[in-house]
Amino acid sequence: MGSTAQSGRSLLDGDRRRLIIGAVASLIGGTVGAVLLLSTPAEAFEAVVPFLVAIAAVALLVQPVLRRWATSHVERPWVFILGLTLISVYGGYFGAGAGIMILALMLVVTSEPLWRAALSKSLFLGIANTVAAVGFMIWGPVEWWAALAMAVGCLAGGWCGPPVVKRLPPGPLRIVVGVCGLGLAGWLAFS
């Protein structure tokens, strides 16, 4: 939520149409993900999570090559919308690594620079997570003290993160995020 609030200011200077469409896709996807989580056994989906996170991390690491292959300087708006909706379903259901997936998607199928893609990722993921969280609060079992601690940490980190990302060099940042994503995939696979 903190990064969502923080990212909104800088994003308004960019492509408003993409912002609105992305917000709607995130809202729909987060809702579907929450419904899936509340109505299906978690074990089935948890089996594929490490692979999804690893794919996103690898996509981020090879992003310059993928961008040249995928776009050839042409935006892919339908791939962006579909991909963002599917990732938001995943984010609403499980969430681990969804930010890496959105970042990789944006860097491959849009012409957004890394800093704007990171801000957009925060906004879109914030929307998907918020709608899912509201669904969980209403219909699911919630450990309220743990949720409060996570909310405070996410709000503080999310508020501070986007301005820092905007000032970091994109190449090394992309590599660090990709390597951390692979680490997360490994941790999810073996924990």
Side-chain angles (χ1 to χ4, degrees), residues 11 67 102-103 106-107 110 112-122 124:
L11 284 173
R67 182 175 257 177
I102 293 173
L103 192 58
M106 291 201 69
L107 291 173
T110 75
E112 297 286 7
L114 178 61
W115 70 268
R116 188 177 298 278
L119 293 175
S120 298
K121 178 254 326 168
S122 296
F124 300 146

mmCIF file of all heavy atoms in Angstrom, residues 11 67 102-103 106-107 110 112-122 124:
data_model
loop_
_atom_site.group_PDB
_atom_site.id
_atom_site.type_symbol
_atom_site.label_atom_id
_atom_site.label_comp_id
_atom_site.label_asym_id
_atom_site.label_seq_id
_atom_site.Cartn_x
_atom_site.Cartn_y
_atom_site.Cartn_z
ATOM 1 N N LEU A 11 3.424 8.332 -11.539
ATOM 2 C CA LEU A 11 2.783 7.624 -12.647
ATOM 3 C C LEU A 11 1.793 8.488 -13.406
ATOM 4 O O LEU A 11 1.543 8.260 -14.584
ATOM 5 C CB LEU A 11 2.079 6.371 -12.130
ATOM 6 C CG LEU A 11 3.001 5.225 -11.802
ATOM 7 C CD1 LEU A 11 2.232 4.097 -11.151
ATOM 8 C CD2 LEU A 11 3.718 4.722 -13.028
ATOM 9 N N ARG A 67 13.280 -8.147 -24.628
ATOM 10 C CA ARG A 67 12.684 -6.921 -25.144
ATOM 11 C C ARG A 67 12.996 -6.762 -26.626
ATOM 12 O O ARG A 67 12.140 -6.381 -27.411
ATOM 13 C CB ARG A 67 13.160 -5.716 -24.351
ATOM 14 C CG ARG A 67 12.507 -4.439 -24.834
ATOM 15 C CD ARG A 67 12.865 -3.265 -23.988
ATOM 16 N NE ARG A 67 11.731 -2.977 -23.127
ATOM 17 C CZ ARG A 67 11.740 -2.029 -22.222
ATOM 18 N NH1 ARG A 67 12.805 -1.314 -22.012
ATOM 19 N NH2 ARG A 67 10.672 -1.807 -21.494
ATOM 20 N N ILE A 102 5.315 -8.988 -12.611
ATOM 21 C CA ILE A 102 4.780 -7.772 -13.229
ATOM 22 C C ILE A 102 5.916 -6.926 -13.789
ATOM 23 O O ILE A 102 5.820 -6.394 -14.900
ATOM 24 C CB ILE A 102 3.930 -6.968 -12.226
ATOM 25 C CG1 ILE A 102 2.658 -7.733 -11.870
ATOM 26 C CG2 ILE A 102 3.575 -5.593 -12.800
ATOM 27 C CD1 ILE A 102 1.832 -7.096 -10.761
ATOM 28 N N LEU A 103 6.993 -6.807 -13.042
ATOM 29 C CA LEU A 103 8.139 -6.030 -13.512
ATOM 30 C C LEU A 103 8.708 -6.622 -14.799
ATOM 31 O O LEU A 103 8.956 -5.899 -15.770
ATOM 32 C CB LEU A 103 9.208 -5.981 -12.418
ATOM 33 C CG LEU A 103 10.342 -4.997 -12.616
ATOM 34 C CD1 LEU A 103 9.827 -3.580 -12.751
ATOM 35 C CD2 LEU A 103 11.313 -5.096 -11.442
ATOM 36 N N MET A 106 6.288 -5.915 -17.724
ATOM 37 C CA MET A 106 6.314 -4.529 -18.190
ATOM 38 C C MET A 106 7.580 -4.214 -18.968
ATOM 39 O O MET A 106 7.540 -3.495 -19.959
ATOM 40 C CB MET A 106 6.162 -3.574 -17.011
ATOM 41 C CG MET A 106 4.787 -3.644 -16.404
ATOM 42 S SD MET A 106 4.379 -2.192 -15.466
ATOM 43 C CE MET A 106 4.229 -0.978 -16.761
ATOM 44 N N LEU A 107 8.700 -4.762 -18.522
ATOM 45 C CA LEU A 107 9.960 -4.479 -19.203
ATOM 46 C C LEU A 107 10.058 -5.185 -20.554
ATOM 47 O O LEU A 107 10.804 -4.747 -21.426
ATOM 48 C CB LEU A 107 11.139 -4.852 -18.313
ATOM 49 C CG LEU A 107 11.300 -3.960 -17.085
ATOM 50 C CD1 LEU A 107 12.390 -4.501 -16.175
ATOM 51 C CD2 LEU A 107 11.569 -2.516 -17.462
ATOM 52 N N THR A 110 6.347 -3.508 -22.801
ATOM 53 C CA THR A 110 6.103 -2.069 -22.898
ATOM 54 C C THR A 110 7.438 -1.368 -23.098
ATOM 55 O O THR A 110 8.498 -1.973 -22.974
ATOM 56 C CB THR A 110 5.423 -1.499 -21.623
ATOM 57 O OG1 THR A 110 6.381 -1.419 -20.571
ATOM 58 C CG2 THR A 110 4.231 -2.337 -21.198
ATOM 59 N N GLU A 112 8.307 1.136 -21.182
ATOM 60 C CA GLU A 112 8.535 1.852 -19.926
ATOM 61 C C GLU A 112 9.963 1.646 -19.431
ATOM 62 O O GLU A 112 10.493 0.540 -19.491
ATOM 63 C CB GLU A 112 7.563 1.363 -18.844
ATOM 64 C CG GLU A 112 6.112 1.612 -19.141
ATOM 65 C CD GLU A 112 5.692 3.067 -18.989
ATOM 66 O OE1 GLU A 112 6.549 3.952 -18.777
ATOM 67 O OE2 GLU A 112 4.493 3.322 -19.105
ATOM 68 N N PRO A 113 10.607 2.714 -18.923
ATOM 69 C CA PRO A 113 11.913 2.532 -18.288
ATOM 70 C C PRO A 113 11.741 1.780 -16.968
ATOM 71 O O PRO A 113 10.626 1.710 -16.420
ATOM 72 C CB PRO A 113 12.391 3.971 -18.038
ATOM 73 C CG PRO A 113 11.154 4.804 -18.020
ATOM 74 C CD PRO A 113 10.165 4.113 -18.911
ATOM 75 N N LEU A 114 12.831 1.251 -16.457
ATOM 76 C CA LEU A 114 12.776 0.434 -15.252
ATOM 77 C C LEU A 114 12.127 1.175 -14.091
ATOM 78 O O LEU A 114 11.292 0.615 -13.392
ATOM 79 C CB LEU A 114 14.173 -0.048 -14.857
ATOM 80 C CG LEU A 114 14.255 -0.882 -13.582
ATOM 81 C CD1 LEU A 114 13.447 -2.157 -13.704
ATOM 82 C CD2 LEU A 114 15.694 -1.205 -13.246
ATOM 83 N N TRP A 115 12.463 2.427 -13.876
ATOM 84 C CA TRP A 115 11.917 3.131 -12.722
ATOM 85 C C TRP A 115 10.398 3.277 -12.829
ATOM 86 O O TRP A 115 9.700 3.098 -11.847
ATOM 87 C CB TRP A 115 12.594 4.485 -12.500
ATOM 88 C CG TRP A 115 12.271 5.540 -13.526
ATOM 89 C CD1 TRP A 115 12.967 5.810 -14.666
ATOM 90 C CD2 TRP A 115 11.170 6.453 -13.487
ATOM 91 N NE1 TRP A 115 12.359 6.832 -15.351
ATOM 92 C CE2 TRP A 115 11.261 7.260 -14.648
ATOM 93 C CE3 TRP A 115 10.128 6.668 -12.596
ATOM 94 C CZ2 TRP A 115 10.343 8.260 -14.934
ATOM 95 C CZ3 TRP A 115 9.216 7.678 -12.881
ATOM 96 C CH2 TRP A 115 9.330 8.456 -14.032
ATOM 97 N N ARG A 116 9.878 3.562 -14.023
ATOM 98 C CA ARG A 116 8.424 3.699 -14.185
ATOM 99 C C ARG A 116 7.749 2.324 -14.110
ATOM 100 O O ARG A 116 6.665 2.194 -13.558
ATOM 101 C CB ARG A 116 8.062 4.395 -15.484
ATOM 102 C CG ARG A 116 6.572 4.712 -15.548
ATOM 103 C CD ARG A 116 6.198 5.476 -16.797
ATOM 104 N NE ARG A 116 6.814 6.758 -16.910
ATOM 105 C CZ ARG A 116 6.379 7.875 -16.306
ATOM 106 N NH1 ARG A 116 5.320 7.822 -15.545
ATOM 107 N NH2 ARG A 116 7.000 9.011 -16.466
ATOM 108 N N ALA A 117 8.406 1.292 -14.653
ATOM 109 C CA ALA A 117 7.863 -0.065 -14.548
ATOM 110 C C ALA A 117 7.782 -0.485 -13.084
ATOM 111 O O ALA A 117 6.813 -1.119 -12.669
ATOM 112 C CB ALA A 117 8.715 -1.044 -15.354
ATOM 113 N N ALA A 118 8.790 -0.127 -12.284
ATOM 114 C CA ALA A 118 8.776 -0.467 -10.859
ATOM 115 C C ALA A 118 7.643 0.265 -10.135
ATOM 116 O O ALA A 118 6.970 -0.313 -9.276
ATOM 117 C CB ALA A 118 10.123 -0.138 -10.221
ATOM 118 N N LEU A 119 7.419 1.520 -10.483
ATOM 119 C CA LEU A 119 6.312 2.260 -9.870
ATOM 120 C C LEU A 119 4.969 1.667 -10.278
ATOM 121 O O LEU A 119 4.071 1.498 -9.453
ATOM 122 C CB LEU A 119 6.374 3.737 -10.275
ATOM 123 C CG LEU A 119 7.548 4.547 -9.738
ATOM 124 C CD1 LEU A 119 7.530 5.954 -10.318
ATOM 125 C CD2 LEU A 119 7.538 4.598 -8.230
ATOM 126 N N SER A 120 4.832 1.342 -11.564
ATOM 127 C CA SER A 120 3.587 0.736 -12.056
ATOM 128 C C SER A 120 3.351 -0.606 -11.380
ATOM 129 O O SER A 120 2.223 -0.925 -10.990
ATOM 130 C CB SER A 120 3.650 0.547 -13.576
ATOM 131 O OG SER A 120 3.789 1.775 -14.227
ATOM 132 N N LYS A 121 4.404 -1.383 -11.253
ATOM 133 C CA LYS A 121 4.305 -2.681 -10.577
ATOM 134 C C LYS A 121 3.752 -2.511 -9.175
ATOM 135 O O LYS A 121 2.862 -3.235 -8.749
ATOM 136 C CB LYS A 121 5.682 -3.339 -10.538
ATOM 137 C CG LYS A 121 5.744 -4.653 -9.824
ATOM 138 C CD LYS A 121 6.387 -4.681 -8.467
ATOM 139 C CE LYS A 121 7.522 -3.791 -8.174
ATOM 140 N NZ LYS A 121 7.864 -3.731 -6.743
ATOM 141 N N SER A 122 4.234 -1.517 -8.455
ATOM 142 C CA SER A 122 3.762 -1.279 -7.095
ATOM 143 C C SER A 122 2.285 -0.927 -7.078
ATOM 144 O O SER A 122 1.528 -1.423 -6.236
ATOM 145 C CB SER A 122 4.563 -0.144 -6.447
ATOM 146 O OG SER A 122 5.904 -0.511 -6.309
ATOM 147 N N PHE A 124 -0.075 -1.636 -9.478
ATOM 148 C CA PHE A 124 -0.907 -2.762 -9.925
ATOM 149 C C PHE A 124 -0.960 -3.871 -8.887
ATOM 150 O O PHE A 124 -2.023 -4.424 -8.601
ATOM 151 C CB PHE A 124 -0.424 -3.299 -11.272
ATOM 152 C CG PHE A 124 -0.460 -2.283 -12.376
ATOM 153 C CD1 PHE A 124 0.497 -2.300 -13.379
ATOM 154 C CD2 PHE A 124 -1.444 -1.304 -12.435
ATOM 155 C CE1 PHE A 124 0.467 -1.369 -14.403
ATOM 156 C CE2 PHE A 124 -1.479 -0.366 -13.451
ATOM 157 C CZ PHE A 124 -0.523 -0.396 -14.442
#
